[in-house]
Structures are given as C-alpha cells and as structure tokens.
Amino acid sequence: MHWGAYSVPAWAEPLGEHGTHHDDWFLRNPYAEWYMNTIRIPGSPAAEHHRSTYGDAPYDDFLDQWRAEEFDADALVALFARAGARYVVPTTKHHDGITLWDAPGTGTRNTVARGPHRDLVGEFARATRAAGLRFGVYYSGGLDWHAADTGPIWDADDDSGARPLGLEYARYATAQVRDLVQRYAPDVLWGDIDWPDAGKPAGPDSFVHVLEEFYARNPEGVVNDRWGVTHWDFRTSEYQAGTALEGTEAWENCRGIGLSFGYNQREDELGLSLDGPAAVRHLVDVVSRGGNLLLNVGPDAAGRIPAPQRRCLEGLADWMAVNDRAVHGAGPLPTGIAGPQDDPWVRWTASADGERAYAVVQSAEGQIDLVVDPADLETTSVHVLDGGPTGVREVPVQVTVQNGSLRVPLPRAQVQGPVVVQFRRTR
C-alpha cells in the first residue's frame, strides 16, 4: 500500500508500465508517489499541473492537507484478506521522506505530529496481525528528497548523483529502520532504491547490524533485494522491469492495480486499472512460474480505496473464494507435462503435495483444447471448480483425449474470471 502526502494531489501522467519506457520516464513519470520529484523538473506535465492547480505551494502543504479521516485499518485488511492476501506491506517512508509513524529524526514531519495525527504504521500492524496475516514494512532507504536532497532526478541515463551516499544520511536511515524493527517486529523488511554507500562496509554503521537485529526480533522474517547489500531472501521485479530475476530463486513481482503505486486520479478518469479477471490472470501467471505477487493499492487522502481499485479487489475476492486452491500453496506444474497457452489463455499450477494439477483457463468458447501429456493426468476424474452461496462445488466434466491434447467442456461459471479445471495426477 502506497499512501502519503502525494495522495492529496494524486496526479501523474499515465505514461505506461515500468519497464516499457526509458528516455522520458522521469519527465512523464506515471508514479504519483514521485510527484515531489516530478514537479521540480522544468516543463514536466506534473510541474505544469502543479502550477496551474496549486500555484507555488510547497509540497509539504500536502502533508497538512492529508487527513486520513476515513481510514479504517481493520476494514482495509479484511478486504485484502478476502482478496487472497497473505501479507500486507504498507509504505512507512517513501522518497518524499515523510514517515507514517513518529520516526526518529523527523521532528514534526510525520503523520503523528501533522496531517492525520496518527501512527498509521502501528494501526496497520495491529489490524494485519489481528486478521492472521503477515505484516511487512516498505522503507525507502536509497532516496529521501527532504533529509538528504540531491536535487530532482530527471535523466534515466544519468542518475549518478541521485542517491545520498554519506554517513550522516546512513545513520539517519539506520535509526529509522531499527525503530521499525524494534516497535513492530515486521515479518517482511522491504527496502527500495539501494542503501547509502557509507552504511554498506563492515563497521559500527554497517546495515549488517540492522539485519542481525531484524532476524533476532523475528527469526522467520524475510528481506527483499533492494537494500544495496549482498544479502536477500527473495528477488523482486516491478511491472515489466527486472523480469530477468524471475524464476532464478524465491521471487516476487510487484505492481499497482493501475500504472501507479500511489493514487492517481487520472487513472480513474481514463479507466486504466486492472479489473478482477485481469488481476486474477496476472496473479496466476506469477504463481504458475513460481513467484509471489505483491499487488499494490493506493488509497485517496481520506483513506478510501478508490472505486476502480475496490472493484478489482472485490473481483479477486469473489474468484479466490472459489478457486484459491489453485493459488495458495500451489506452484508450477513440473515441466514436460503442460505449458502456458496465450490464445486461448491457459496457465498451469500444481498442489504442494503434487497430487493435483490445475489448468486455469480464460476462454470465450464452451470448450478448450489443452496441450498436455495425457499420461500424467487422470482423465476419468476431471472437475471444474465453481461456487455460489452454498459454497465451492467440484463439477465433473467429461474430457476427450485426441492427438496429444485434452478437449475439456467449460460450464458457465458463477464468478467472473478464468475457470479452474482440476485434475488428479497419475505420477
């Protein structure tokens, strides 16, 4: 969840998915949470929007205008859980340097002293754990445009001076991450944009000591790969950037429901958010290749999930209520049995015990031909998952084996999105 003072202007140019644009990425940045940076680039669409809408108002005015008056952590986490989430990772400090708890060194530039006047990290932590989910914290260690401003980032080919590297900022950031660990004992420590170089070498200020404290506080905790050090528990990709890391070891893809992580009202106007079925397809594609999905939501300044994002999550929730077995605890089907198809869309997953295979199918036709090795699957006991008010049903279907494929009839499902065809494996 990306939520901050940037949720007040909630504006960015919806350029496209990260990883598909390069030369004009920072000038026309589609990430609304980068608003503080983008409005400082002369001639950028965001700078023009800011001038015409807010005049010369400083960015920090948005902190005071951010009220979070309708924020209900329990209700939000309940929605995430229904959508299938197993862990929740809110931003605790993004690149604008504003912290969502009374972090050391921030003075009054945090949500306890100003704006919402609430410890939002603490509220998320309590609600997430009360719902039985794992709790994580996102922290921007590599950038802080307030505490260690190096000027606006505007050139994708020359960001050498973008990150603050010195010891003063390293100590500042270290104190804040240590505070997060001590207060909230997070299960996931999710860093971003590297770490100040002065905090990397061995010594009293090394980030290694923060990691030691993290694992001592939470031995089951995990760390992502964006802390600028050689240790991580899982790799990360973002939209279509960093996809070469997918599949190499434990990995997670992160993306927003739209093109931005922070709320961008222009996405609502242009209809650029994923709907439920599209989110399901992305989730299943990731799981079918052995990954986790960190799907981002961006609340508005009041703390509400905007309607298009809520519709997406509700669609995910409806689908997961019937088909979660093809996702939770599932992983890739062993190679050589079946593979992905794109027309019509098919992805395969397998249960953790290896006893079942799931073909997740999106097809407008009343049947589908699955390219598969029939010797690995039992074809006399095939079911389509369906459900309604009375619960999940396994609807038996008769398949036909022909020329190395299985023809499967697809009954009309009661929930929108791909249909799950369940097979028993024979070996």
Side-chain angles (χ1 to χ4, degrees):
M1 172 180 276
H2 276 62
W3 195 29
Y6 45 79
S7 305
V8 175
W11 199 97
E13 173 109 354
L15 176 65
E17 292 193 4
H18 187 32
T20 63
H21 293 264
H22 180 72
D23 293 341
D24 52 354
W25 176 258
F26 291 111
L27 180 70
R28 301 172 57 202
N29 199 323
Y31 286 178
E33 67 275 13
W34 277 67
Y35 189 82
M36 182 178 177
N37 183 79
T38 315
I39 61 175
R40 297 188 295 172
I41 301 175
S44 72
E48 297 300 321
H49 167 79
H50 187 80
R51 182 165 41 255
S52 63
T53 307
Y54 304 105
D56 59 356
Y59 178 83
D60 275 24
D61 281 4
F62 297 130
L63 172 56
D64 297 311
Q65 295 166 23
W66 175 23
R67 300 297 185 186
E69 65 271 20
E70 297 193 36
F71 172 57
D72 183 338
D74 292 298
L76 291 183
V77 171
L79 173 59
F80 302 156
R82 287 195 297 107
R86 291 292 181 86
Y87 53 107
V88 178
V89 185
T91 49
T92 65
K93 185 198 82 166
H94 205 262
H95 312 328
D96 62 4
I98 295 171
T99 62
L100 278 67
W101 87 108
D102 55 336
T106 57
T108 63
R109 202 170 182 270
N110 60 67
T111 62
V112 176
R114 293 168 63 183
H117 292 282
R118 296 162 72 171
D119 176 2
L120 300 176
V121 178
E123 292 185 41
F124 268 124
R126 180 201 55 77
T128 299
R129 291 188 164 124
L133 307 183
R134 297 281 193 171
F135 176 69
V137 292
Y138 166 107
Y139 183 87
S140 171
L143 294 176
D144 190 318
W145 300 319
H146 177 78
D149 187 12
T150 55
I153 304 170
W154 62 274
D155 187 344
D157 292 317
D158 183 17
D159 60 356
S160 56
R163 283 195 304 112
L165 306 176
L167 184 57
E168 181 180 2
Y169 175 64
R171 287 174 172 168
Y172 175 86
T174 294
Q176 293 186 354
V177 177
R178 278 185 163 142
D179 195 52
L180 286 171
V181 169
Q182 292 164 4
R183 289 199 198 200
Y184 309 112
D187 301 295
V188 183
L189 199 58
W190 214 103
D192 204 10
I193 318 287
D194 212 306
W195 189 253
D197 288 5
K200 294 177 182 178
D205 297 300
S206 174
F207 188 73
V208 169
H209 302 307
V210 179
L211 293 178
E212 291 171 347
E213 293 177 22
F214 169 70
Y215 289 117
R217 189 81 168 84
N218 192 338
E220 294 185 346
V222 291
V223 175
N224 77 331
D225 60 348
R226 301 190 187 186
W227 294 97
V229 291
T230 57
H231 171 82
W232 55 76
D233 296 306
F234 63 97
R235 307 307 304 263
T236 58
S237 59
E238 185 168 322
Y239 286 93
Q240 297 183 43
T243 54
L245 299 174
E246 296 178 354
T248 57
E249 47 193 298
W251 62 276
E252 172 191 79
N253 173 254
C254 66
R255 63 154 296 153
I257 291 177
L259 302 176
S260 175
F261 288 93
Y263 173 46
N264 181 8
Q265 57 188 312
R266 294 201 67 200
E267 292 182 354
D268 291 1
E269 298 164 1
L270 298 173
L272 296 176
S273 295
L274 297 175
D275 61 13
V280 168
R281 289 194 298 273
H282 186 71
L283 168 63
V284 173
D285 177 71
V286 167
V287 173
S288 75
R289 295 183 289 115
N292 275 12
L293 172 63
L294 188 63
L295 182 65
N296 178 82
V297 297
D300 66 13
R304 299 171 296 227
I305 302 297
Q309 296 183 47
R310 179 171 286 275
R311 286 194 295 270
C312 175
L313 294 175
E314 293 287 0
L316 263 174
D318 290 344
W319 191 88
M320 290 292 286
V322 175
N323 301 294
D324 67 325
R325 71 183 70 175
V327 172
H328 286 155
L333 187 68
T335 57
I337 301 170
Q341 299 170 221
D342 290 325
D343 187 20
W345 189 91
V346 181
R347 296 294 185 271
W348 289 85
T349 65
S351 60
D353 60 13
E355 293 184 358
R356 289 177 174 80
Y358 305 101
V360 187
V361 178
Q362 183 81 60
S363 176
E365 304 296 329
Q367 62 184 18
I368 188 169
D369 291 332
L370 298 174
V371 180
V372 61
D373 179 1
D376 192 83
L377 304 178
E378 185 178 302
T379 58
T380 59
S381 179
V382 182
H383 297 82
V384 169
L385 302 185
D386 201 359
T390 59
V392 180
R393 297 183 296 125
E394 296 183 358
V395 181
V397 293
Q398 298 295 318
V399 304
T400 305
V401 181
Q402 54 179 21
N403 299 324
S405 67
L406 297 178
R407 175 158 292 180
V408 182
L410 299 175
R412 183 179 296 276
Q414 296 188 47
V415 296
Q416 288 191 326
V419 173
V420 174
V421 184
Q422 176 181 274
F423 296 86
R424 287 189 179 275
R425 294 184 59 197
T426 58
R427 58 186 180 188

